[in-house]
């Protein structure tokens, strides 16, 4: 079969089809394939439904999976939600905080025997409802009258199609955004269409934010339109046809008022207050800025009053500047480290910014767009103080090292490869002095073993930009009864790329443990070089269950504080 990349050719032409955490679990002393008795089996979650809720609300969430014991406890990677197990197995009452809860929450259920893989739960600011079957045909479409609204649905079986009817006025704009693979983590590549009541196509989109589609449609006449969704597997197979399964869960935002898809600037400077403006559709020109104070590091989810959609923004230890049209007067140049925020707001128009090089030392440059949910595909050019082109980059989202040839002011020019523009065409560029860097990951999302045994955790080490120093990997502040001797990753040889940390357990425990690298022999007084990121979700901790040999007389494990 002919292919494009790693996907079958039919997959890339799926618009012609119109049909009516893989984590490693280590069980102490046994191979992962060894069978467990029901009493020893860890819980399994295939999906959460609904996969989100409204900030300040309470929602009942059904976990589909296997639960040898009930009730279970719940851990989340961030505050903002409280999970209460109800009497019915697999059902939780989730109370969502009104403040600081927007965005993606990673959720894990566990007990003293084991833990399930992480699942995602998304908190938004809009009213929410659930899909009602049957709604496979335009004539049977579910009516949605409250806008903006988020519909929680499932493409529950092969060939499943879901239809929703929305009434529009003349020249009224509808934004329909399908969130499945990107935010929810569902194994679905969705298709989103706007059709009339007879099924005639009015608008269509396949991939706006990664594999998740979005349609912005302005009505030419008053009346109902049908929003139709269906999907394919995100990991394509040989089946040609519409896919579906119980874990093909999605969230569909429908809005006719202001909708934010991004913000400007595209990053927040740490320890500073930034005036942030929404970027999206139907947003008034004079919409006021929101002043956001960013502290610490990481990312922050923000929303704007009267605007649907929450925006995730990184917090950076650098100056943040806004690119402008290349023909416009340029603001004063900024020296690195700097983060450049850009938006292609008019077709085929260049964006530009000027940076000042005070010392021609190596710089690390990274361009982000589609990996952050943008539709943009920027190309990049640098011109020197004399106007000559000194560097061009045309590959998608390049990360590279650049040494300026001299001191002076250098102009950076950005173009959208296809000449496209609009609110969804934003980008971000990081330029900072190049420094050696160490990264470390483990495939182990969670590990489990009996008290008295040892658990090996394999860690892959990546040495970037000339990092040649040895480091020691170790547990940070392990709970009582949990220990591991530091393991050295040498400057060269096999251990430079991979090490194994062996965890010993003498007391029951269920909770996260953090593994870090420190310079040299791992003196606790030394600064941490990096934190090991775990599993498919790349969170900064590994879940550890240290349990007794059988479940006949369980010992309550130590657990992290809420």
């Amino acid at each position: 079969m002919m292919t494009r990349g790693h996907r079958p050719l039919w997959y890339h032409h799926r618009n012609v089809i119109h049909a009516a955490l893989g984590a490693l679990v280590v069980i102490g002393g046994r191979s992962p394939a060894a069978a467990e008795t029901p009493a020893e089996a860890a819980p399994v979650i295939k999906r959460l439904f609904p996969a989100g809720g409204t900030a300040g609300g309470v929602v009942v969430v059904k976990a589909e999976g296997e639960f040898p014991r009930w009730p279970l406890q719940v851990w989340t990677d961030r505050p903002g939600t409280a999970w209460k197990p109800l009497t019915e197995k697999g059902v939780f009452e989730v109370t969502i905080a009104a403040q600081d809860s927007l965005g993606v929450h990673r959720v894990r259920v566990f007990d003293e025997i084991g833990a399930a893989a992480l699942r995602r739960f998304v908190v938004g600011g809009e009213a929410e409802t659930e899909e009602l079957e049957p709604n496979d045909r335009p004539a049977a479409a579910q009516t949605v009258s409250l806008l903006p609204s988020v519909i929680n649905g499932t493409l529950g079986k092969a060939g499943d199609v879901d239809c929703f009817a929305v009434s529009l006025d003349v020249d009224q704009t509808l934004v329909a955004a399908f969130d499945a693979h990107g935010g929810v983590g569902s194994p679905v590549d969705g298709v989103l269409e706007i059709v009339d009541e007879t099924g005639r196509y009015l608008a269509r989109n396949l991939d706006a934010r990664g594999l998740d589609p979005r349609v912005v449609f302005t009505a030419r006449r008053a009346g109902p339109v049908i929003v139709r969704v269906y999907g394919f597997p995100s990991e394509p197979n040989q089946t040609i046809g519409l896919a579906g399964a119980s874990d093909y869960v999605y969230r569909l935002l429908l809005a006719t008022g202001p909708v934010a898809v991004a913000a400007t600037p595209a990053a927040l400077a740490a320890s500073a207050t930034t005036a942030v403006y929404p970027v999206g559709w139907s947003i008034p020109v004079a919409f006021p800025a929101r002043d956001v104070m960013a502290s610490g590091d990481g990312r922050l989810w923000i929303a704007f009053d009267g605007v649907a959609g929450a925006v995730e923004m990184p917090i950076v230890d650098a100056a943040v500047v806004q690119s402008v049209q290349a023909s416009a007067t340029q603001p004063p140049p900024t020296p690195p480290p700097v983060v450049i925020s850009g938006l292609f707001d008019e077709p085929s128009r260049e964006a530009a910014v000027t940076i000042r090089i005070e010392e021609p030392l190596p710089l690390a440059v990274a361009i982000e767009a589609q990996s952050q949910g943008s539709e943009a595909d920027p190309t990049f050019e640098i011109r020197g103080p004399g106007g000559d082109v000194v560097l061009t980059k045309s590959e998608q989202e390049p990360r590279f090292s650049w040494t300026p040839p001299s001191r002076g002011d250098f102009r950076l020019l950005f173009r959208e490869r296809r000449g496209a523009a609009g609110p969804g065409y934003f980008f971000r560029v990081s330029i900072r002095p190049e420094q050696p860097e160490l990264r470390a990951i483990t495939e182990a999302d969670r590990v489990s073993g009996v008290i008295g045994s040892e658990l090996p955790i394999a860690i892959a080490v990546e040495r970037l930009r000339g990092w040649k120093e040895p480091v020691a990997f170790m547990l940070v502040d392990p709970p009582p009864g949990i220990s591991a001797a530091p393991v050295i990753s040498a400057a060269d040889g096999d251990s430079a790329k991979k090490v194994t940390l062996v965890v010993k357990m003498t007391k029951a425990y269920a909770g996260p443990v953090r593994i870090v690298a420190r310079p040299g022999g791992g003196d606790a007084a030394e600064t941490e070089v990096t934190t090991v990121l775990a599993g498919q979700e790349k969170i900064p901790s590994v879940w550890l269950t240290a349990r007794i040999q059988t479940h006949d007389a369980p010992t309550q494990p130590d657990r992290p504080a809420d």
Side-chain angles (χ1 to χ4, degrees):
M1 176 180 291
M2 295 178 63
T3 63
R4 181 180 302 164
H6 71 284
R7 291 175 165 169
L9 186 59
W10 69 263
Y11 181 82
H12 297 272
H13 295 279
R14 59 201 188 284
N15 56 323
V16 302
I17 299 176
H18 304 303
L21 285 151
L24 171 67
V25 181
V26 181
I27 306 300
R30 295 182 292 178
S31 69
E36 294 179 323
T37 65
E40 294 176 316
V44 174
I45 287 186
K46 188 175 182 181
R47 73 162 192 171
L48 296 174
F49 188 84
T54 305
V58 178
V59 60
V60 175
V61 176
K62 172 70 175 179
E64 178 185 304
E66 300 174 8
F67 310 106
R69 297 157 301 280
W70 189 262
L72 293 170
Q73 300 178 72
V74 177
W75 174 89
T76 60
D77 70 332
R78 50 176 290 206
T81 61
W83 294 67
K84 176 184 176 181
L86 301 182
T87 303
E88 182 181 351
K89 185 176 289 189
V91 180
F92 297 89
E93 180 184 83
V94 183
T95 302
I96 306 171
Q99 302 294 326
D100 301 324
S101 61
L102 292 173
V104 176
H105 297 247
R106 290 164 179 83
V107 179
R108 190 190 303 278
V109 301
F110 70 98
D111 63 9
E112 71 277 6
I113 296 300
L118 289 167
R119 295 296 171 194
R120 296 182 190 176
F121 184 82
V122 182
V123 175
E126 293 72 48
E128 304 213 357
T129 188
E130 293 185 10
E131 170 212 358
L132 298 175
E133 293 280 3
N135 61 348
D136 284 11
R137 297 174 295 104
Q142 178 179 342
T143 299
V144 180
S145 55
L146 177 63
L147 299 176
S149 184
V150 171
I151 301 166
N152 290 280
T154 306
L155 298 171
K157 61 184 183 301
D160 196 5
V161 177
D162 292 342
C163 297
F164 305 94
V166 178
S167 291
L168 299 178
D169 295 330
V170 176
D171 295 330
Q172 189 172 27
T173 296
L174 170 69
V175 177
F178 183 87
D179 178 14
H181 188 266
V184 178
S186 295
V188 58
D189 182 359
V191 179
L192 184 58
E193 298 171 340
I194 307 294
V195 301
D196 64 17
E197 292 176 291
T198 68
R200 182 174 63 92
Y201 286 96
L202 303 174
R204 193 166 201 259
N205 184 253
L206 304 179
D207 304 316
R209 301 185 68 239
L211 296 182
D212 291 332
R214 177 176 55 228
V215 170
V216 181
F217 173 76
T218 300
R220 295 182 178 179
R221 62 179 181 85
V225 297
I226 309 300
V227 180
R228 182 163 65 187
V229 299
Y230 53 89
F232 300 86
S234 58
E235 293 295 331
N237 53 41
Q238 299 303 312
T239 302
I240 301 179
L242 306 188
S246 65
D247 58 346
Y248 276 39
V249 175
Y250 65 84
R251 289 166 58 80
L252 176 64
L253 169 67
L254 299 176
T256 52
V259 177
V261 68
T264 183
L268 302 171
S271 303
T273 298
T274 303
V276 182
Y277 295 86
V279 175
W281 295 272
S282 303
I283 297 174
V285 174
F287 195 92
R290 175 180 170 182
D291 290 333
V292 179
M293 174 63 188
S295 59
D297 55 13
R299 306 178 82 84
L300 185 66
W301 288 83
I302 65 171
F304 301 88
D305 290 341
V307 180
V311 178
E312 184 182 18
M313 303 186 69
I315 302 172
V316 298
D317 56 346
V320 179
V321 300
Q322 183 73 35
S323 68
V324 299
Q325 294 179 4
S327 59
T329 301
Q330 297 292 302
T334 302
V338 61
V339 173
I340 300 162
S341 172
L343 175 69
F344 297 112
D345 55 356
E346 292 190 30
S348 302
R349 180 164 287 183
E350 292 178 327
V353 73
T354 302
I355 62 172
R356 173 157 293 167
I357 300 301
E358 297 171 343
E359 291 292 337
L361 300 174
L363 298 172
V365 183
I367 301 177
E368 299 176 303
Q370 294 181 12
S371 65
Q372 304 303 309
S374 171
E375 297 179 64
D377 187 3
T379 63
F380 178 57
E381 177 180 289
I382 301 179
R383 294 184 180 178
D388 54 318
V389 176
V390 298
L391 181 142
T392 60
K393 289 287 181 180
S394 59
E395 61 265 37
Q396 194 173 86
E397 294 197 311
R399 292 177 176 266
F400 58 94
S401 174
W402 173 58
T403 301
S406 66
R407 294 181 175 88
D409 293 345
F410 288 76
R411 196 177 194 206
L412 282 56
L413 293 169
F414 305 93
R415 303 177 183 90
E416 211 292 321
R417 189 185 309 274
R418 301 148 298 185
Y425 289 83
F426 53 90
F427 63 93
R428 183 168 55 235
V429 183
S430 170
I431 303 176
R432 58 184 66 244
E434 186 176 73
Q435 295 178 341
E437 182 182 355
L438 189 80
R439 296 179 185 170
I441 62 171
T442 177
E443 293 182 2
D445 166 74
R446 61 209 187 279
V447 294
S448 175
V450 298
I451 297 171
S453 66
E454 296 181 349
L455 282 174
I457 300 178
I459 301 169
V461 183
E462 187 177 10
R463 296 167 178 268
L464 304 172
R465 293 185 284 276
W467 184 287
K468 296 186 180 302
E469 300 300 317
V471 295
F473 287 91
M474 62 187 64
L475 293 177
V476 177
D477 299 326
I482 307 299
S483 63
V487 57
I488 303 298
S489 172
D492 52 27
D494 291 343
S495 70
K497 299 180 180 180
K498 185 177 181 179
V499 296
T500 300
L501 187 74
V502 179
V503 179
K504 298 181 179 181
M505 303 167 292
T506 61
K507 187 176 180 181
Y509 175 74
V513 294
R514 196 162 68 94
I515 306 170
V516 302
R518 289 187 171 131
D523 188 334
E526 293 280 3
T527 302
E528 296 172 6
V529 171
T530 192
T531 298
V532 176
L533 301 181
Q536 185 175 354
E537 294 285 345
K538 299 295 187 292
I539 65 169
S541 62
V542 178
W543 190 270
L544 172 66
T545 304
R547 56 183 175 81
I548 60 174
Q549 182 66 50
T550 69
H551 192 52
D552 295 336
T555 299
Q556 285 298 317
D558 291 338
R559 293 187 296 273
D562 293 335

